[in-house]
Amino acid sequence: MTDAVQQQYEAYPYPARDPAEEAQRLISGSPSFLPEVNHYLFAGRRDFRQPFRALIAGGGTGDGLIQLAQFLQLTSQQLGGPQHEVVYLDLSAASRRIAEARAEARGLTNIRFITGSLLDVAKLAPGPYDYIESCGVLHHLAVPAIGLACLATQLGPKGGLGLMLYGSYGRDGVYPLQTALRQLMPDEATPEEKVALARRLLSDLPEGNAFRRNPFLNDHNTGDAGLYDLLLHTQDRAYTVPEIIELLDSSDLEPVAFIEPCRYDPLSYLKDSGLREAAAALPQLEQAALAERLCGSLKTHVLYAAPRHRAAACIAWPDDPALIPGLRGLPAAALAASLEKTGKLVVTFERDRLELLAPEGAGKIAALIDGRRNLGEIAAALGMSWMEFQNAYAPLHALLTGVNRLYLRV
Ligand SMILES: C[S@@+](CC[C@H](N)C(=O)[O-])C[C@H]1O[C@@H](n2cnc3c(N)ncnc32)[C@H](O)[C@@H]1O
Protein backbone atom coordinates (compact mmCIF):
# COMPACT_ATOMS: atom_id res chain seq x y z
CA MET A 1 0.00 0.00 0.00
CA THR A 2 2.92 2.35 0.70
CA ASP A 3 3.81 2.03 -3.03
CA ALA A 4 0.31 3.11 -4.08
CA VAL A 5 0.41 6.06 -1.66
CA GLN A 6 3.83 7.05 -2.96
CA GLN A 7 2.68 6.85 -6.59
CA GLN A 8 -0.30 9.04 -5.78
CA TYR A 9 1.86 11.77 -4.29
CA GLU A 10 4.36 11.51 -7.15
CA ALA A 11 1.49 12.17 -9.57
CA TYR A 12 -0.28 14.74 -7.39
CA PRO A 13 1.99 16.39 -4.80
CA TYR A 14 -0.23 17.78 -2.08
CA PRO A 15 -1.17 20.48 -1.49
CA ALA A 16 -0.53 22.02 -4.92
CA ARG A 17 1.92 24.90 -4.36
CA ASP A 18 3.80 27.31 -6.59
CA PRO A 19 7.26 28.24 -5.17
CA ALA A 20 7.01 31.65 -6.91
CA GLU A 21 4.28 32.59 -4.41
CA GLU A 22 6.80 32.55 -1.55
CA ALA A 23 7.71 36.10 -2.58
CA GLN A 24 4.16 37.22 -1.75
CA ARG A 25 3.13 35.39 1.40
CA LEU A 26 4.07 32.94 4.15
CA ILE A 27 1.48 30.22 4.68
CA SER A 28 0.93 30.03 8.41
CA GLY A 29 -1.30 27.68 10.37
CA SER A 30 -1.56 24.96 12.98
CA PRO A 31 0.24 22.82 13.96
CA SER A 32 3.83 24.14 13.88
CA PHE A 33 3.29 27.87 14.37
CA LEU A 34 6.35 28.40 16.57
CA PRO A 35 4.78 30.52 19.38
CA GLU A 36 1.98 27.93 19.54
CA VAL A 37 4.47 25.03 19.73
CA ASN A 38 6.30 26.85 22.53
CA HIS A 39 3.03 27.51 24.42
CA TYR A 40 1.62 24.00 24.16
CA LEU A 41 4.73 21.83 24.33
CA PHE A 42 7.30 23.86 26.28
CA ALA A 43 5.09 25.74 28.75
CA GLY A 44 6.13 28.93 26.93
CA ARG A 45 9.63 28.54 28.31
CA ARG A 46 11.69 27.14 25.42
CA ASP A 47 15.02 28.93 25.25
CA PHE A 48 15.66 29.34 21.52
CA ARG A 49 19.27 30.33 22.22
CA GLN A 50 19.71 26.57 22.62
CA PRO A 51 19.63 24.36 19.50
CA PHE A 52 16.15 23.25 18.44
CA ARG A 53 15.69 20.19 16.24
CA ALA A 54 12.43 19.41 14.48
CA LEU A 55 11.21 16.65 12.17
CA ILE A 56 8.44 17.21 9.64
CA ALA A 57 7.27 13.67 8.95
CA GLY A 58 5.36 13.55 5.67
CA GLY A 59 6.26 17.13 4.81
CA GLY A 60 4.50 17.10 1.42
CA THR A 61 4.98 20.27 -0.59
CA GLY A 62 6.23 22.05 2.50
CA ASP A 63 3.55 24.13 4.27
CA GLY A 64 4.46 23.15 7.85
CA LEU A 65 8.13 22.85 6.96
CA ILE A 66 8.46 26.33 5.46
CA GLN A 67 6.51 27.98 8.27
CA LEU A 68 8.62 26.35 11.00
CA ALA A 69 11.97 26.75 9.24
CA GLN A 70 11.23 30.42 8.50
CA PHE A 71 10.32 31.20 12.13
CA LEU A 72 13.36 29.29 13.43
CA GLN A 73 15.69 31.06 11.01
CA LEU A 74 14.31 34.45 12.10
CA THR A 75 14.66 33.43 15.75
CA SER A 76 18.31 32.43 15.18
CA GLN A 77 18.99 35.75 13.49
CA GLN A 78 17.27 37.79 16.21
CA LEU A 79 18.87 35.97 19.14
CA GLY A 80 22.22 35.49 17.43
CA GLY A 81 21.77 31.90 18.53
CA PRO A 82 22.70 28.59 16.96
CA GLN A 83 21.36 27.43 13.61
CA HIS A 84 18.34 25.25 14.38
CA GLU A 85 17.60 22.21 12.22
CA VAL A 86 14.40 21.10 10.53
CA VAL A 87 14.45 17.66 8.94
CA TYR A 88 11.96 17.02 6.12
CA LEU A 89 10.97 13.41 5.46
CA ASP A 90 8.50 12.31 2.77
CA LEU A 91 7.93 9.37 0.44
CA SER A 92 7.34 11.57 -2.58
CA ALA A 93 10.30 12.96 -4.55
CA ALA A 94 7.94 15.22 -6.54
CA SER A 95 6.64 16.79 -3.32
CA ARG A 96 10.18 17.23 -2.04
CA ARG A 97 11.21 19.12 -5.20
CA ILE A 98 8.43 21.66 -4.59
CA ALA A 99 9.31 22.00 -0.90
CA GLU A 100 13.01 22.45 -1.82
CA ALA A 101 12.16 25.16 -4.34
CA ARG A 102 10.04 26.96 -1.73
CA ALA A 103 12.88 26.82 0.79
CA GLU A 104 15.33 28.11 -1.80
CA ALA A 105 12.98 30.96 -2.75
CA ARG A 106 13.06 32.05 0.92
CA GLY A 107 16.79 31.55 1.41
CA LEU A 108 16.19 29.00 4.18
CA THR A 109 19.40 27.23 5.11
CA ASN A 110 18.22 25.25 8.15
CA ILE A 111 16.46 22.33 6.39
CA ARG A 112 17.72 18.82 5.66
CA PHE A 113 15.68 16.97 3.03
CA ILE A 114 15.27 13.19 3.12
CA THR A 115 13.16 11.01 0.82
CA GLY A 116 11.74 7.86 2.41
CA SER A 117 9.10 6.45 4.73
CA LEU A 118 8.54 7.67 8.25
CA LEU A 119 8.35 3.98 9.14
CA ASP A 120 12.13 4.01 8.57
CA VAL A 121 12.74 7.20 10.54
CA ALA A 122 15.06 5.49 13.03
CA LYS A 123 17.40 4.62 10.16
CA LEU A 124 16.88 7.58 7.80
CA ALA A 125 16.48 10.52 10.16
CA PRO A 126 17.08 9.46 13.76
CA GLY A 127 16.22 11.74 16.70
CA PRO A 128 16.27 13.01 19.30
CA TYR A 129 13.87 15.77 18.24
CA ASP A 130 12.40 18.62 20.26
CA TYR A 131 9.38 18.65 18.01
CA ILE A 132 7.86 16.28 15.48
CA GLU A 133 5.07 17.37 13.15
CA SER A 134 2.96 14.90 11.25
CA CYS A 135 0.15 16.81 9.57
CA GLY A 136 -2.32 14.85 7.48
CA VAL A 137 -0.05 11.81 7.18
CA LEU A 138 -0.66 9.12 9.81
CA HIS A 139 -4.21 8.50 8.58
CA HIS A 140 -2.68 7.43 5.23
CA LEU A 141 -0.66 4.59 6.78
CA ALA A 142 -1.83 0.96 6.74
CA VAL A 143 -1.40 0.90 10.53
CA PRO A 144 -1.26 4.48 11.86
CA ALA A 145 -0.36 3.29 15.37
CA ILE A 146 2.89 1.82 14.01
CA GLY A 147 3.77 5.11 12.30
CA LEU A 148 3.03 7.06 15.46
CA ALA A 149 5.15 4.66 17.53
CA CYS A 150 8.07 5.10 15.09
CA LEU A 151 7.84 8.89 15.53
CA ALA A 152 7.28 8.85 19.29
CA THR A 153 10.48 6.88 19.88
CA GLN A 154 12.47 9.68 18.18
CA LEU A 155 11.30 12.36 20.63
CA GLY A 156 13.92 13.89 22.89
CA PRO A 157 13.41 13.92 26.66
CA LYS A 158 11.38 17.17 26.50
CA GLY A 159 9.98 16.75 23.00
CA GLY A 160 6.40 16.71 21.79
CA LEU A 161 4.29 16.22 18.69
CA GLY A 162 2.04 18.41 16.53
CA LEU A 163 -0.49 16.29 14.66
CA MET A 164 -3.35 16.63 12.23
CA LEU A 165 -5.68 13.73 11.65
CA TYR A 166 -8.89 13.67 9.64
CA GLY A 167 -12.09 14.12 11.67
CA SER A 168 -14.89 11.62 11.09
CA TYR A 169 -17.95 13.81 11.46
CA GLY A 170 -16.78 16.74 9.36
CA ARG A 171 -15.91 14.31 6.54
CA ASP A 172 -19.44 13.00 6.34
CA GLY A 173 -20.07 11.58 2.87
CA VAL A 174 -16.40 11.16 1.85
CA TYR A 175 -16.03 7.45 2.43
CA PRO A 176 -19.21 6.21 0.66
CA LEU A 177 -18.16 8.32 -2.32
CA GLN A 178 -14.60 6.93 -2.26
CA THR A 179 -16.10 3.41 -2.30
CA ALA A 180 -18.52 4.30 -5.11
CA LEU A 181 -15.61 5.61 -7.18
CA ARG A 182 -13.67 2.39 -6.64
CA GLN A 183 -16.69 0.42 -7.83
CA LEU A 184 -16.94 2.48 -11.01
CA MET A 185 -13.22 2.83 -11.78
CA PRO A 186 -11.68 0.65 -14.51
CA ASP A 187 -8.62 -1.19 -13.11
CA GLU A 188 -6.29 0.30 -15.69
CA ALA A 189 -7.39 3.96 -15.22
CA THR A 190 -4.55 6.49 -15.17
CA PRO A 191 -4.52 9.20 -12.44
CA GLU A 192 -5.87 11.72 -15.00
CA GLU A 193 -8.69 9.35 -16.01
CA LYS A 194 -9.56 8.82 -12.35
CA VAL A 195 -9.85 12.56 -11.80
CA ALA A 196 -12.03 12.95 -14.92
CA LEU A 197 -14.33 10.12 -13.82
CA ALA A 198 -14.62 11.56 -10.32
CA ARG A 199 -15.63 14.93 -11.75
CA ARG A 200 -18.32 13.26 -13.87
CA LEU A 201 -19.66 11.43 -10.84
CA LEU A 202 -19.67 14.62 -8.76
CA SER A 203 -21.87 16.36 -11.28
CA ASP A 204 -24.30 13.40 -11.26
CA LEU A 205 -24.75 13.16 -7.49
CA PRO A 206 -28.35 13.43 -6.32
CA GLU A 207 -29.23 16.26 -3.97
CA GLY A 208 -29.62 14.01 -0.96
CA ASN A 209 -26.08 12.61 -1.25
CA ALA A 210 -24.20 13.14 2.02
CA PHE A 211 -21.04 14.41 0.29
CA ARG A 212 -23.02 16.88 -1.79
CA ARG A 213 -24.84 18.11 1.33
CA ASN A 214 -21.62 18.49 3.36
CA PRO A 215 -20.76 22.22 3.21
CA PHE A 216 -17.40 21.82 4.96
CA LEU A 217 -15.55 19.93 2.23
CA ASN A 218 -13.87 22.01 -0.41
CA ASP A 219 -10.65 20.28 -1.47
CA HIS A 220 -12.26 18.91 -4.64
CA ASN A 221 -12.84 22.50 -5.79
CA THR A 222 -9.18 23.51 -5.36
CA GLY A 223 -7.78 21.52 -8.30
CA ASP A 224 -6.85 17.98 -9.29
CA ALA A 225 -4.45 17.37 -6.38
CA GLY A 226 -7.17 18.36 -3.89
CA LEU A 227 -9.79 16.22 -5.59
CA TYR A 228 -7.44 13.22 -5.73
CA ASP A 229 -6.51 13.58 -2.06
CA LEU A 230 -10.12 13.82 -0.94
CA LEU A 231 -11.93 11.30 -3.12
CA LEU A 232 -9.43 9.03 -4.86
CA HIS A 233 -7.01 8.31 -2.06
CA THR A 234 -5.73 4.77 -2.01
CA GLN A 235 -5.59 4.74 1.78
CA ASP A 236 -7.13 7.00 4.37
CA ARG A 237 -9.29 6.89 7.44
CA ALA A 238 -10.79 9.44 9.81
CA TYR A 239 -10.84 9.70 13.59
CA THR A 240 -13.20 10.69 16.36
CA VAL A 241 -11.77 12.21 19.55
CA PRO A 242 -12.01 8.91 21.49
CA GLU A 243 -10.24 7.12 18.60
CA ILE A 244 -7.43 9.70 18.72
CA ILE A 245 -7.05 9.14 22.46
CA GLU A 246 -6.81 5.40 21.79
CA LEU A 247 -4.22 5.95 19.05
CA LEU A 248 -2.10 8.18 21.31
CA ASP A 249 -2.49 5.74 24.16
CA SER A 250 -0.89 2.99 22.05
CA SER A 251 2.37 5.02 22.17
CA ASP A 252 2.00 6.17 25.79
CA LEU A 253 1.11 9.65 24.60
CA GLU A 254 -1.62 12.04 25.72
CA PRO A 255 -3.13 15.09 24.08
CA VAL A 256 -1.91 18.37 25.54
CA ALA A 257 -4.51 20.41 23.64
CA PHE A 258 -6.80 20.24 20.65
CA ILE A 259 -6.75 23.33 18.43
CA GLU A 260 -8.81 25.49 18.60
CA PRO A 261 -9.58 24.63 22.24
CA CYS A 262 -12.99 26.34 22.27
CA ARG A 263 -14.21 24.07 19.48
CA TYR A 264 -13.58 21.11 21.80
CA ASP A 265 -15.51 22.71 24.67
CA PRO A 266 -19.22 21.73 24.68
CA LEU A 267 -20.02 24.95 26.57
CA SER A 268 -19.15 26.85 23.38
CA TYR A 269 -22.28 25.38 21.79
CA LEU A 270 -24.77 25.02 24.68
CA LYS A 271 -27.00 27.77 26.06
CA ASP A 272 -29.47 25.76 28.16
CA SER A 273 -28.31 25.89 31.79
CA GLY A 274 -29.23 22.26 32.56
CA LEU A 275 -27.35 21.00 29.51
CA ARG A 276 -24.36 23.18 30.35
CA GLU A 277 -24.28 21.79 33.87
CA ALA A 278 -24.44 18.19 32.62
CA ALA A 279 -21.70 18.83 30.04
CA ALA A 280 -19.43 20.61 32.52
CA ALA A 281 -19.67 17.62 34.89
CA LEU A 282 -18.06 15.27 32.34
CA PRO A 283 -14.32 14.43 32.47
CA GLN A 284 -12.33 16.71 30.16
CA LEU A 285 -11.73 14.30 27.29
CA GLU A 286 -15.39 13.26 27.33
CA GLN A 287 -16.25 16.94 27.07
CA ALA A 288 -14.06 17.13 23.95
CA ALA A 289 -15.79 14.05 22.50
CA LEU A 290 -19.20 15.62 23.22
CA ALA A 291 -18.16 18.94 21.67
CA GLU A 292 -17.08 17.16 18.48
CA ARG A 293 -20.48 15.43 18.24
CA LEU A 294 -22.32 18.71 18.77
CA CYS A 295 -20.11 20.71 16.41
CA GLY A 296 -20.24 18.37 13.42
CA SER A 297 -17.92 20.48 11.27
CA LEU A 298 -14.55 19.23 12.51
CA LYS A 299 -13.16 17.71 9.32
CA THR A 300 -9.65 17.70 10.77
CA HIS A 301 -8.29 17.42 14.29
CA VAL A 302 -5.17 19.45 15.06
CA LEU A 303 -3.55 18.61 18.37
CA TYR A 304 -0.37 18.75 20.38
CA ALA A 305 0.62 15.58 22.21
CA ALA A 306 3.38 14.51 24.57
CA PRO A 307 4.46 11.44 26.55
CA ARG A 308 1.85 10.68 29.20
CA HIS A 309 4.10 11.23 32.20
CA ARG A 310 4.70 14.89 31.34
CA ALA A 311 1.79 15.92 29.09
CA ALA A 312 0.10 17.96 31.85
CA ALA A 313 3.26 20.00 32.43
CA CYS A 314 3.73 20.92 28.76
CA ILE A 315 1.13 23.66 28.48
CA ALA A 316 1.83 27.25 29.55
CA TRP A 317 -0.21 28.61 32.47
CA PRO A 318 -0.40 32.25 33.55
CA ASP A 319 1.12 31.48 36.92
CA ASP A 320 4.37 33.41 36.59
CA PRO A 321 4.68 37.22 36.33
CA ALA A 322 7.67 36.76 33.98
CA LEU A 323 5.54 35.20 31.22
CA ILE A 324 4.79 37.45 28.26
CA PRO A 325 1.39 37.11 26.56
CA GLY A 326 1.29 37.71 22.80
CA LEU A 327 -1.70 37.92 20.47
CA ARG A 328 -1.91 36.12 17.12
CA GLY A 329 -3.60 38.09 14.40
CA LEU A 330 -5.67 40.27 16.74
CA PRO A 331 -4.60 43.90 17.17
CA ALA A 332 -4.81 44.62 20.92
CA ALA A 333 -6.50 48.00 20.56
CA ALA A 334 -9.30 46.71 18.31
CA LEU A 335 -9.78 43.63 20.51
CA ALA A 336 -9.93 45.75 23.67
CA ALA A 337 -12.44 48.18 22.15
CA SER A 338 -14.67 45.38 20.93
CA LEU A 339 -14.58 43.49 24.27
CA GLU A 340 -15.45 46.71 26.12
CA LYS A 341 -18.27 47.61 23.75
CA THR A 342 -19.95 44.24 23.24
CA GLY A 343 -18.92 42.24 26.31
CA LYS A 344 -18.24 39.25 24.09
CA LEU A 345 -15.90 37.76 21.53
CA VAL A 346 -17.50 36.54 18.33
CA VAL A 347 -15.62 33.99 16.23
CA THR A 348 -16.63 31.87 13.27
CA PHE A 349 -15.19 28.43 12.57
CA GLU A 350 -16.49 26.86 9.37
CA ARG A 351 -20.16 27.85 9.73
CA ASP A 352 -20.28 27.88 13.51
CA ARG A 353 -20.61 31.41 14.82
CA LEU A 354 -19.60 31.27 18.48
CA GLU A 355 -20.47 34.12 20.80
CA LEU A 356 -18.20 33.80 23.81
CA LEU A 357 -18.87 35.98 26.85
CA ALA A 358 -15.98 38.22 27.84
CA PRO A 359 -15.22 38.65 31.53
CA GLU A 360 -15.80 42.07 33.06
CA GLY A 361 -12.84 44.44 32.65
CA ALA A 362 -11.34 42.22 29.90
CA GLY A 363 -10.88 45.16 27.52
CA LYS A 364 -8.60 47.06 29.91
CA ILE A 365 -6.26 44.08 30.27
CA ALA A 366 -6.39 43.19 26.56
CA ALA A 367 -5.32 46.74 25.63
CA LEU A 368 -1.99 46.13 27.41
CA ILE A 369 -1.12 42.85 25.67
CA ASP A 370 1.55 43.97 23.24
CA GLY A 371 3.85 40.92 23.09
CA ARG A 372 6.55 42.80 25.07
CA ARG A 373 5.12 43.48 28.54
CA ASN A 374 5.09 40.50 30.87
CA LEU A 375 2.14 39.62 33.10
CA GLY A 376 3.78 41.27 36.10
CA GLU A 377 4.23 44.51 34.18
CA ILE A 378 0.61 44.44 32.97
CA ALA A 379 -0.56 43.95 36.57
CA ALA A 380 1.58 46.91 37.68
CA ALA A 381 0.27 49.10 34.84
CA LEU A 382 -3.26 48.36 36.06
CA GLY A 383 -2.31 49.07 39.67
CA MET A 384 -3.21 45.53 40.73
CA SER A 385 -1.44 43.16 43.08
CA TRP A 386 -0.24 39.92 41.42
CA MET A 387 -3.01 38.02 43.19
CA GLU A 388 -5.74 40.47 42.08
CA PHE A 389 -4.38 40.42 38.56
CA GLN A 390 -4.27 36.62 38.35
CA ASN A 391 -7.97 36.46 39.23
CA ALA A 392 -8.86 39.16 36.72
CA TYR A 393 -6.66 37.77 33.93
CA ALA A 394 -7.52 34.05 34.17
CA PRO A 395 -10.93 34.22 32.40
CA LEU A 396 -9.54 36.46 29.62
CA HIS A 397 -6.65 34.04 29.19
CA ALA A 398 -9.11 31.15 28.89
CA LEU A 399 -11.16 33.10 26.34
CA LEU A 400 -8.21 34.09 24.12
CA THR A 401 -6.35 30.79 24.30
CA GLY A 402 -9.72 29.10 23.66
CA VAL A 403 -9.94 30.79 20.27
CA ASN A 404 -6.20 30.15 19.78
CA ARG A 405 -5.27 33.81 19.63
CA LEU A 406 -2.96 34.09 22.62
CA TYR A 407 0.30 32.38 23.62
CA LEU A 408 2.65 32.81 26.54
CA ARG A 409 6.43 32.92 26.34
CA VAL A 410 9.30 34.01 28.56
C1 LIG B 1 -1.89 14.90 2.58
S1 LIG B 1 -0.20 15.10 2.34
C2 LIG B 1 0.20 16.22 3.65
C3 LIG B 1 1.42 17.03 3.38
C4 LIG B 1 1.81 18.03 4.46
N1 LIG B 1 2.08 17.41 5.73
C5 LIG B 1 0.76 19.10 4.62
O1 LIG B 1 0.03 19.07 5.63
O2 LIG B 1 0.65 19.97 3.77
C6 LIG B 1 0.46 13.58 2.92
C7 LIG B 1 1.95 13.44 2.70
O3 LIG B 1 2.41 12.33 3.47
C8 LIG B 1 3.36 11.62 2.71
N2 LIG B 1 3.40 10.24 3.22
C9 LIG B 1 2.42 9.31 3.21
N3 LIG B 1 2.85 8.19 3.80
C10 LIG B 1 4.14 8.41 4.18
C11 LIG B 1 5.12 7.64 4.84
N4 LIG B 1 4.89 6.39 5.20
N5 LIG B 1 6.32 8.20 5.08
C12 LIG B 1 6.59 9.49 4.70
N6 LIG B 1 5.69 10.25 4.07
C13 LIG B 1 4.48 9.73 3.82
C14 LIG B 1 2.87 11.73 1.28
O4 LIG B 1 3.89 11.48 0.34
C15 LIG B 1 2.33 13.16 1.25
O5 LIG B 1 3.32 14.07 0.83
Side-chain angles (χ1 to χ4, degrees):
M1 213 26 128
T2 301
D3 282 353
V5 172
Q6 181 180 4
Q7 280 162 22
Q8 167 178 338
Y9 288 109
E10 295 298 356
Y12 289 110
Y14 183 91
R17 293 288 179 239
D18 176 359
E21 289 181 10
E22 293 310 312
Q24 277 115 49
R25 50 96 189 98
L26 172 69
I27 292 178
S28 177
S30 303
S32 299
F33 181 59
L34 193 59
E36 183 181 271
V37 171
N38 186 22
H39 179 102
Y40 285 107
L41 292 177
F42 298 95
R45 290 180 166 83
R46 184 56 163 79
D47 179 358
F48 288 98
R49 286 167 304 188
Q50 301 303 317
F52 187 87
R53 206 165 168 249
L55 170 70
I56 307 288
T61 50
D63 283 4
L65 170 86
I66 297 296
Q67 167 177 235
L68 190 63
Q70 180 71 77
F71 271 89
L72 286 171
Q73 189 150 304
L74 278 174
T75 305
S76 293
Q77 285 161 359
Q78 281 162 4
L79 299 178
Q83 173 88 312
H84 304 303
E85 185 183 42
V86 187
V87 177
Y88 165 104
L89 178 62
D90 199 290
L91 282 178
S92 157
S95 300
R96 169 181 169 165
R97 283 193 289 278
I98 295 168
E100 279 177 320
R102 292 176 71 183
E104 199 184 330
R106 290 188 163 272
L108 297 174
T109 54
N110 53 358
I111 304 174
R112 189 153 63 90
F113 287 92
I114 299 171
T115 300
S117 172
L118 64 83
L119 298 172
D120 299 323
V121 63
K123 199 172 68 203
L124 296 175
Y129 291 102
D130 297 290
Y131 175 63
I132 299 180
E133 177 207 278
S134 195
C135 177
V137 181
L138 292 175
H139 49 230
H140 293 313
L141 302 187
V143 187
I146 295 179
L148 181 61
C150 290
L151 297 180
T153 53
Q154 301 307 316
L155 285 173
K158 292 184 177 168
L161 293 138
L163 302 173
M164 186 277 269
L165 294 161
Y166 288 150
S168 297
Y169 302 128
R171 281 172 71 83
D172 193 26
V174 168
Y175 295 101
L177 197 52
Q178 283 191 1
T179 308
L181 280 162
R182 273 185 218 115
Q183 285 182 288
L184 295 168
M185 199 65 71
D187 288 343
E188 67 285 0
T190 63
E192 293 77 16
E193 286 163 350
K194 288 182 182 176
V195 167
L197 189 144
R199 289 206 188 285
R200 276 161 38 220
L201 183 61
L202 280 175
S203 54
D204 272 0
L205 288 179
E207 261 183 53
N209 176 274
F211 181 86
R212 186 167 160 179
R213 280 188 289 115
N214 186 336
F216 309 118
L217 300 167
N218 190 43
D219 249 8
H220 55 300
N221 296 321
T222 63
D224 292 353
L227 181 141
Y228 210 105
D229 212 66
L230 183 64
L231 294 175
L232 294 163
H233 213 290
T234 41
Q235 186 163 267
D236 85 58
R237 59 154 297 178
Y239 286 84
T240 61
V241 167
E243 287 167 345
I244 290 180
I245 306 304
E246 202 180 310
L247 173 70
L248 294 177
D249 196 50
S250 68
S251 281
D252 280 330
L253 298 165
E254 265 183 17
V256 176
F258 285 90
I259 304 296
E260 295 81 9
C262 71
R263 298 184 84 193
Y264 292 85
D265 178 355
L267 301 188
S268 299
Y269 309 105
L270 299 172
K271 291 194 180 65
D272 179 279
S273 59
L275 295 176
R276 286 175 69 87
E277 216 173 288
L282 294 170
Q284 208 186 350
L285 288 174
E286 280 188 41
Q287 289 193 32
L290 171 64
E292 149 184 67
R293 291 178 193 120
L294 299 177
C295 167
S297 65
L298 287 160
K299 61 184 178 193
T300 59
H301 295 294
V302 171
L303 63 143
Y304 289 97
R308 196 193 321 278
H309 67 277
R310 55 185 178 77
C314 286
I315 194 165
W317 290 109
D319 55 4
D320 178 350
L323 286 165
I324 301 168
L327 294 169
R328 176 183 187 177
L330 275 182
L335 170 69
S338 152
L339 292 177
E340 284 289 292
K341 189 165 157 226
T342 64
K344 58 191 172 194
L345 183 64
V346 180
V347 283
T348 303
F349 297 108
E350 302 290 350
R351 295 193 176 189
D352 295 323
R353 186 174 183 275
L354 304 182
E355 289 194 9
L356 306 167
L357 282 186
E360 215 169 299
K364 287 194 182 60
I365 303 179
L368 297 172
I369 299 178
D370 61 4
R372 288 187 298 275
R373 286 188 188 92
N374 65 33
L375 293 173
E377 288 163 342
I378 296 175
L382 292 166
M384 289 180 173
S385 71
W386 173 241
M387 196 86 100
E388 280 170 335
F389 176 76
Q390 273 193 298
N391 289 334
Y393 174 74
L396 176 64
H397 182 83
L399 180 72
L400 294 176
T401 52
V403 296
N404 199 31
R405 295 305 193 118
L406 183 139
Y407 311 111
L408 294 174
R409 68 171 176 90
V410 282

